Amino acid sequence: QGSTLHCCITVLRVLPSAMKFFALLASLLVLAGCASAPRYDTSHPSANYDSRIQFVIVHYTSASLERSLQLLTHGEVSSHYLISDDKTATVYKLMDENQRAWHAGESQWQGRTWLNSSSIGIEIVNPGFKDTPTGRLWYPYSEAQIQGLIALLKDISKRNGISPRHIIGHSDIAPLRKLDPGPLFPWKRLADAGLGLWPNEQAVARQQALFNSGELPSISWFQGQLAHLGYDTPQTGELDVATRHVLAAFQMHFRPSRFDGTPDAQTAALLLVLNQTK
């Protein structure tokens, strides 16, 4: 403050008298601001914290690259990253990871709600699906997109300490209203790279044989297992519409060959093995 005051006095000496009052007033305001600024002692940093970012949510855009960029930068939704669908699979960083993107909406996973505040959103340019006379047609992801996504997820996970369990899809956190990233998304390939959860196939086969030879668990059991894994699941003991949606979302992630929302022995085995996986 001493050097600042010295400069102010020097300026006042050379200013015309009509301007001295205003210059002095401005200088005093600057000094008052300096005097009121808090001083911090940072010699005792706490070790009790973790990253604000707990989850990574994967989406498809259902739109072209040009339209996706327009929607994610000037529309009502946003995302931290966007992966293009051209040969280069360019990764666009649309905002800083510390900023909250509007990509998850009404959502829940492992009891946490409104995941915009605790997640990073990654959008992949992909049309999603189209309905045809012979059934629903889903669009695949390119090899370049998957390689780009794996590299991006490894970087994000390393910097933020993201658990593989917390790399999930939009349909996992909002099963009543979302289908992305869809049944053609390669969750097992990501898990093989350490970027997601996947059950041991031999353990699933053994459990499935046991369920096939005995009685299928109750609907309450399925609802409890789904909730334990992380899904927002009704606990009604009934196979209601909401429970079917959650079952279908789970099956689409871990058994994409059939995701009709019907509880069966293989679904039960998948749930049991996944919940036993540390």
Side-chain angles (χ1 to χ4, degrees), residues 74-219:
H74 295 89
E76 295 181 355
V77 295
S78 56
S79 183
H80 296 92
Y81 297 96
L82 172 69
I83 301 178
S84 72
D85 61 346
D86 53 22
K87 292 182 179 180
T88 62
T90 302
V91 177
Y92 293 88
K93 184 173 183 179
L94 306 180
M95 64 174 63
D96 189 271
E97 291 179 3
N98 289 324
Q99 294 174 316
R100 181 172 59 187
W102 304 334
H103 64 98
E106 185 176 354
S107 52
Q108 181 169 319
W109 187 255
Q110 294 183 342
R112 293 175 181 249
T113 60
W114 296 97
L115 298 181
N116 283 339
S117 297
S118 57
S119 67
I120 289 175
I122 301 176
E123 293 274 1
I124 306 174
V125 177
N126 181 286
F129 65 86
K130 71 175 180 180
D131 290 319
T132 72
T134 57
R136 180 163 288 181
L137 174 65
W138 295 87
Y139 290 90
Y141 296 87
S142 72
E143 178 63 21
Q145 285 179 316
I146 299 307
Q147 289 185 10
L149 176 63
I150 289 174
L152 177 60
L153 284 172
K154 285 184 175 180
D155 177 54
I156 292 172
S157 299
K158 182 178 180 180
R159 287 186 287 100
N160 295 285
I162 303 294
S163 166
R165 286 179 172 269
H166 293 169
I167 299 174
I168 45 184
H170 203 183
S171 56
D172 295 313
I173 64 171
L176 300 185
R177 60 188 185 87
K178 292 297 179 179
L179 295 172
D180 55 311
L184 297 187
F185 186 78
W187 287 112
K188 184 179 185 302
R189 183 169 172 187
L190 264 63
D192 289 342
L195 301 168
L197 192 62
W198 197 260
N200 179 276
E201 294 180 1
Q202 289 75 27
V204 171
R206 289 192 297 269
Q207 288 293 338
Q208 184 176 348
L210 292 174
F211 285 126
N212 280 328
S213 63
E215 185 177 349
L216 194 66
S218 68
I219 299 302

Side-chain angles (χ1 to χ4, degrees), residues 239-261:
L239 188 57
D240 47 36
V241 173
T243 300
R244 282 189 175 275
H245 275 281
V246 179
L247 269 170
F250 168 80
Q251 291 165 340
M252 185 165 59
H253 188 135
F254 295 102
R255 192 192 66 185
S257 61
R258 190 171 87 252
F259 51 99
D260 55 6

Side-chain angles (χ1 to χ4, degrees), residues 6-26:
H6 175 75
C7 292
C8 293
I9 293 172
T10 302
V11 170
L12 287 173
R13 286 174 177 171
V14 299
L15 283 174
S17 57
M19 298 177 63
K20 287 183 179 180
F21 173 77
F22 297 104
L24 179 60
L25 179 61

